[in-house]
Amino acid sequence: MLLEAEGLSVTYGRTRAVASVDLAVGEGEIVTVLGANGAGKTSLLRALQGAVKPSRGRIVLGGRDVTAQSSAARVRGGMVLVPEGRQIFVSMSVHENLLMGAYLRRDGSADADIAAIYERFPNLARRRDMKASVLSGGEQQMLAIGRALVARPRLVMLDEPSLGLSPLFVEQLFSLLRDLNRDGIAILLVEQNTTMALELASRGYVFELGEVVLEGSSDRLLGDEALVAAYLGGA
Ligand code: ATP
């Protein structure tokens, strides 16, 4: 497995946001994490990326225990997070945002990678010197993903990337995720678009109050009547 979390718990004061979660993502796999607001999905991703320290458990990336490692070390280890709300630097240009993605790279030179991002996202290339604040929501999401890709990840984790996007941009986003996966990048996707996420992923985990209450192949989860009733609006 590329990424493994074992018995992972995240606690804020007396709130247990993530409770003894076991989760794995294989090399080149797409896995989705589903669940209602407050179920602990963001806390899980933040713990995996190293932004929050787990109270218990272990995180293993590419066979190495990274539980005690910094976020920067995990990025260098091949794992990047595209956070909820994108969190791009709005007062910086598109190009400067991409350069920030290269900041953690050991070799320092990211020219070729940034050129590849511009090739993948022609809209970003055209707006290279504009402030990120003038981009549309969909373009900002592409920039956030582009910035993550500059680090040459083996695994990209995304926290509700479709939030606030128009249906057209959501389609583009999912097709981008499919492309990235075809290029060999594994994806751990937290989504509210449950059906689309399960159709993209090969496996899914369903969170409730910090615990995994259901996991399995996407086909199995899509065929689960209770899950469909709870999260897919009975569709
Ligand atoms: P959402 O979809 O709303 O982002 P989520 O599934 O990502 O929800 P989390 O944001 O991880 O869930 O929150 C899990 C629980 O932890 C919630 O009860 C939340 O109120 C609590 N929580 C999250 N962040 C903090 C924090 N920084 N301090 C205290 N409690 C927090």
Side-chain angles (χ1 to χ4, degrees), residues 27-201:
E27 198 87 49
E29 194 181 19
I30 305 183
V31 173
T32 187
V33 172
L34 309 168
N37 282 348
K41 308 177 302 293
T42 296
S43 300
L44 167 77
L45 293 189
R46 286 171 56 76
L48 293 174
Q49 184 53 58
V52 48
K53 195 173 172 318
S55 50
R56 297 188 64 175
R58 227 159 69 94
I59 299 162
V60 179
L61 177 63
R64 288 181 51 186
D65 189 329
V66 299
T67 320
Q69 285 190 354
S70 66
S71 292
R74 296 181 205 196
V75 171
R76 285 194 291 269
M79 171 164 74
V80 291
L81 171 65
V82 180
E84 194 173 10
R86 295 145 212 166
Q87 299 184 17
I88 54 171
F89 303 100
V90 286
S91 60
M92 291 188 187
S93 71
V94 165
H95 194 70
E96 286 165 341
N97 268 277
L98 293 177
L99 285 173
M100 292 303 287
Y103 175 70
L104 295 171
R105 288 262 305 272
R106 240 188 238 110
D107 56 16
S109 158
D111 292 354
D113 296 286
I114 292 182
I117 304 292
Y118 285 143
E119 212 163 292
R120 202 189 277 278
F121 304 107
N123 276 356
L124 295 183
R126 278 194 291 276
R127 291 164 176 71
R128 184 197 141 104
D129 297 315
M130 290 187 190
K131 272 195 179 175
S133 57
V134 307
L135 300 181
S136 71
E139 288 165 348
Q140 290 190 358
Q141 186 58 266
M142 296 302 158
L143 178 57
I145 295 173
R147 186 182 58 187
L149 293 177
V150 176
R152 274 195 226 156
R154 284 192 290 163
L155 168 67
V156 177
M157 303 187 286
L158 301 106
D159 196 354
E160 305 210 359
S162 71
L163 205 65
L165 300 187
S166 68
L168 183 65
F169 265 125
V170 174
E171 287 292 341
Q172 284 179 10
L173 169 74
F174 274 78
S175 117
L176 168 66
L177 297 181
R178 213 166 271 125
D179 286 350
L180 296 180
N181 184 247
R182 254 184 232 122
D183 292 345
I185 298 177
I187 292 173
L188 180 59
L189 175 66
V190 164
E191 253 303 328
Q192 45 161 2
N193 267 318
T194 307
T195 313
M196 282 183 85
L198 285 172
E199 282 168 355
L200 177 76

Side-chain angles (χ1 to χ4, degrees), residues 8-11 16-21 39-41 43-44 55 207 210-211:
L8 198 69
S9 298
V10 176
T11 313
R16 263 220 312 179
V18 177
S20 293
V21 163
K41 308 177 302 293
S43 300
L44 167 77
S55 50
F207 273 58
E211 290 181 29

